[in-house]
Amino acid sequence: MPRTLITSALPYINGIKHLGNLVGSQLPADLYARYCRARGHEVMFVCATDEHGTPAELAARKAGQPVAEYCAEMWQVQKDLADGFGLSFDHFGRSSSPQNHRLTQHFAARLDDEGLIEQRASRQVYSHADGRFLPDRYVEGTCPNCGYDRARGDQCENCTKQLDPTDLIDPRSAISGSTDLEVRETRHLYLLQSKLRDRLDRWIDEQKDWPILTTSIAKKWLHDCDGLQDRGITRDLDWGIPVMKGDAPWPGMEGKVFYVWFDAPIEYIAGTAEWADATGGDWERWWRTDNGADDVRYVQFMGKDNVPFHALSFPATLLGSNEPWKTVDYLKSFNYLNYDGGQFSTSQGRGVFMDQALSILPSDYWRWWLLSHVPESSDTEFTWDNFASSVNKDLADVLGNFVSRVTKFCRSRFGEAVPDGGTWGAAEEALVQTLATRLAAYQAHMDAIEIRKAAAELRAIWVAGNEYLQDAAPWATFKDDPDRAAAQIRMGLNLIRLYAVLSRPFIPAASDAMLAAMGTGDDAWPDDMRAALMALPPGHAFTVPDVLFAKITDDQRDDWAARFSGTRD
């Protein structure tokens, strides 16, 4: 049995995520996890909330809550929304977990033992109004690269350029808005990534099938200008993982915590340890190559802004430790999903957020549109016109209409059981061949994690059934040859079961509804198309399901476009 480890970028704890966050990591990861399980893989699909650093402290302050209380509350909110979208995590953890504390402190100690940690004096922004050093994300200002006036001190979210707070034009405190800032000296630990540059370069060259987007970003960070830079791994904050060298105090680092970029990826491992502690499982067989992880294929999913940390910094941690840790085999990265001529933005409340989306439509509507328009080769634009048109054409007209026509006609002419009589003819044999060819293409795209191509192939499989039904016209055939019509409808009912199985990675709720309507728990992936289209025998009972997908009306589309034209309160 193949073993597949899947992680998606950790969502920040600071509020509800928007659809751009969802499609950039968690949703495609879930698609792939569901597909791998359907193909018989043993899957470990892990995610967690990213709870440390500036976003957590600022959000808690705004909510008027202690940061630990705020994080616990928001973890539950994000977990409930993940469930609402059908995200099938094996474990959804927390980067503030005791397991992550232990592992982060362990890795720091190992890296220090390997000569890859150095204590350095650095100059950091101090806010007189706030009475504290400001970590990078606490400093806002104008980006010197693109002129965006809300750039953060670590990175501009508009152009993605990595920054230092001192690079910003007209800097101000993100806490108080004060411009009464000065640069003072403080001491921090640095991970000497530059010492690992050649090793990382060779390691990336070994990853022959990575997406161009991933490798181009990684190579740019490795070689542009002065190449890969050493990076601070500690910060002057109260909330976070205390800086310890394993179990021992770290001299000179009293009162400091590890920087969130360092501890967050380690939570992938810690989250699996959380799962093991909860279930009695063995987390090391997924992560330690000396304990069985050699036969694991590890796949990561993330937006392009997270690539540098996962293609370079996290591997630097794992490789630099000189311990037998499993590194990523395939890093699937995505461009941005834009909203109505601009960017989705959590900080600015711009776009459609996960809770809002579920309040107006069931999750499968969103899953289908997002995955069939996933920003793989370039940025994608979300518009309400395109969303409504795609949902109506693909889900309502092609899939939903097929299920409705077949089941309702069968009930009216043969009753609520698969009809007996008749045999396959040339049209059915041709359909079997068409579907077998389409299935092979669908599987090839899913195996390669070519999501838009896979969605197009799945839709083509639905269309093939519609074209067969339209040409067969059992409603006309029934008048002169009821047995022939019975064979055609028997094929149609078996197509519904087949569609439920093949569609589950994309639209799991609709898949469950189709299987329930067909009265079967047989969700086996079709190895033999002919056998799959005979899975429901004559006499097998079924029910006519409720409408799978209601069409989006022009009034609904216009109302939603107006409702979400501003920013979230």
Side-chain angles (χ1 to χ4, degrees):
M1 179 187 294
R3 299 175 61 218
T4 305
L5 171 65
I6 299 170
T7 62
S8 61
L10 309 187
Y12 275 132
I13 198 71
N14 63 327
I16 293 166
K17 303 298 105 178
H18 55 65
L19 297 184
N21 297 133
L22 180 64
V23 76
S25 57
Q26 294 178 70
L27 186 55
D30 178 71
L31 173 84
Y32 189 63
R34 287 178 175 276
Y35 171 72
C36 288
R37 292 189 193 105
R39 299 303 307 277
H41 294 206
E42 182 185 2
V43 171
M44 176 58 61
F45 178 23
V46 177
C47 191
T49 43
D50 185 354
E51 299 189 8
H52 296 137
T54 308
E57 290 200 8
L58 289 180
R61 180 187 295 265
K62 183 177 179 181
Q65 294 177 272
V67 64
E69 179 183 304
Y70 172 82
C71 288
E73 181 179 299
M74 286 308 303
W75 176 87
Q76 189 63 58
V77 169
Q78 293 204 22
K79 174 64 167 62
D80 291 344
L81 287 170
D83 291 344
F85 272 92
L87 304 181
S88 59
F89 301 123
D90 289 288
H91 186 75
F92 186 66
R94 302 180 61 184
S95 69
S96 61
S97 69
Q99 292 87 342
N100 200 34
H101 278 235
R102 289 194 296 271
L103 276 166
T104 297
Q105 292 162 346
H106 166 81
F107 275 110
R110 285 294 311 147
L111 291 165
D112 188 54
D113 291 344
E114 295 296 322
L116 293 171
I117 298 291
E118 185 174 282
Q119 190 172 147
R120 295 179 180 175
S122 64
R123 295 176 64 76
Q124 191 171 337
V125 175
Y126 184 87
S127 169
H128 291 278
D130 300 303
R132 60 179 293 175
F133 282 104
L134 297 180
D136 297 353
R137 280 177 169 249
Y138 275 65
V139 187
E140 295 179 344
T142 299
C143 175
N145 185 56
C146 71
Y148 181 61
D149 64 359
R150 296 184 182 178
R152 299 187 306 252
D154 61 342
Q155 188 177 39
C156 175
E157 69 173 11
N158 186 58
C159 68
T160 74
K161 183 176 178 61
Q162 186 183 3
L163 300 169
D164 286 318
T166 52
D167 296 332
L168 294 173
I169 301 168
D170 299 326
R172 61 189 178 274
S173 167
I175 301 173
S176 62
S178 173
T179 59
D180 185 12
L181 310 177
E182 71 168 296
V183 178
R184 291 184 179 180
E185 185 174 288
T186 183
R187 299 191 68 80
H188 285 293
L189 299 181
Y190 278 72
L191 174 59
L192 305 184
Q193 296 183 138
S194 59
K195 287 189 173 183
L196 294 164
R197 182 174 63 180
D198 292 343
R199 186 174 179 185
L200 288 167
D201 207 10
R202 290 192 301 271
W203 175 73
I204 289 171
D205 286 340
E206 294 169 0
Q207 317 307 320
K208 300 300 183 184
D209 62 344
W210 278 18
I212 293 173
L213 179 63
T214 300
T215 53
S216 62
I217 292 173
K219 287 290 188 176
K220 181 178 180 180
W221 276 58
L222 274 171
H223 298 298
D224 276 13
C225 300
D226 296 325
L228 187 63
Q229 300 296 298
D230 301 335
R231 190 153 172 83
I233 64 168
T234 59
R235 281 295 180 265
D236 293 296
L237 286 171
D238 296 326
W239 173 246
I241 297 175
V243 178
M244 302 277 286
K245 189 174 182 181
D247 296 329
W250 203 307
M253 291 293 112
E254 295 82 3
K256 298 181 188 289
V257 300
F258 285 107
Y259 196 3
V260 63
W261 77 259
F262 182 71
D263 81 72
I266 296 170
E267 170 59 19
Y268 298 139
I269 306 173
T272 316
E274 294 167 41
W275 162 84
D277 288 346
T279 63
D282 181 0
W283 67 270
E284 289 195 4
R285 66 188 289 265
W286 292 99
W287 286 104
R288 297 275 305 198
T289 58
D290 59 345
N291 197 24
D294 267 335
D295 66 352
V296 170
R297 183 170 188 255
Y298 178 21
V299 183
Q300 294 177 344
F301 291 81
M302 69 200 60
K304 60 185 177 183
D305 54 330
N306 268 317
V307 168
F309 299 108
H310 290 77
L312 299 171
S313 297
F314 184 40
T317 297
L318 299 179
L319 297 172
S321 73
N322 255 342
E323 294 180 321
W325 296 102
K326 176 67 182 175
T327 55
V328 64
D329 294 299
Y330 190 79
L331 199 162
K332 178 70 174 182
S333 57
F334 298 94
N335 291 284
Y336 292 141
L337 177 68
N338 294 321
Y339 179 75
D340 195 25
Q343 286 191 331
F344 277 88
S345 173
T346 298
S347 60
Q348 298 175 42
R350 190 172 194 280
V352 184
F353 290 73
M354 290 172 67
D355 59 336
Q356 296 170 329
L358 292 179
S359 74
I360 59 177
L361 285 171
S363 61
D364 279 355
Y365 290 72
W366 301 105
R367 286 180 65 106
W368 174 254
W369 189 91
L370 290 168
L371 290 168
S372 61
H373 293 77
V374 68
E376 286 177 302
S377 58
S378 62
D379 290 353
T380 298
E381 182 86 4
F382 177 92
T383 69
W384 287 101
D385 283 343
N386 182 275
F387 175 69
S389 175
S390 296
V391 164
N392 289 348
K393 289 178 181 177
D394 297 347
L395 298 182
D397 288 345
V398 178
L399 180 60
N401 188 48
F402 179 85
V403 172
S404 178
R405 291 171 76 190
V406 169
T407 56
K408 288 181 178 178
F409 178 78
C410 187
R411 180 175 63 184
S412 67
R413 295 294 187 269
F414 300 104
E416 293 190 4
V418 177
D420 198 359
T423 58
W424 283 2
E428 288 72 31
E429 294 293 349
L431 179 61
V432 170
Q433 294 305 312
T434 296
L435 291 175
T437 300
R438 290 287 188 189
L439 175 60
Y442 177 53
Q443 291 174 170
H445 292 316
M446 290 291 276
D447 289 339
I449 320 181
E450 298 170 336
I451 297 172
R452 291 182 76 145
K453 290 179 180 178
E457 204 60 53
L458 178 60
R459 187 185 188 280
I461 290 171
W462 299 341
V463 168
N466 275 270
E467 291 175 344
Y468 164 78
L469 187 66
Q470 196 64 29
D471 292 341
W475 45 87
T477 307
F478 182 81
K479 298 173 185 176
D480 300 318
D481 190 348
D483 279 352
R484 176 75 183 133
Q488 293 167 343
I489 286 299
R490 192 161 61 249
M491 172 65 85
L493 292 168
N494 274 283
L495 281 170
I496 294 173
R497 190 203 73 85
L498 176 71
Y499 290 168
V501 173
L502 299 184
S503 305
R504 176 169 276 168
F506 283 89
I507 46 173
S511 171
D512 289 345
M514 286 187 278
L515 286 175
M518 292 303 98
T520 180
D522 179 6
D523 60 356
W525 196 265
D527 295 321
D528 180 335
M529 185 57 69
R530 178 180 296 275
L533 293 173
M534 296 180 177
L536 303 181
H540 180 87
F542 73 90
T543 58
V544 176
D546 294 333
V547 174
L548 281 182
F549 296 101
K551 282 196 171 186
I552 296 172
T553 67
D554 290 348
D555 287 345
Q556 286 176 313
R557 178 201 62 201
D558 294 344
D559 173 58
W560 297 334
R563 192 190 312 179
F564 299 105
S565 62
T567 57
R568 187 184 182 102
D569 293 334

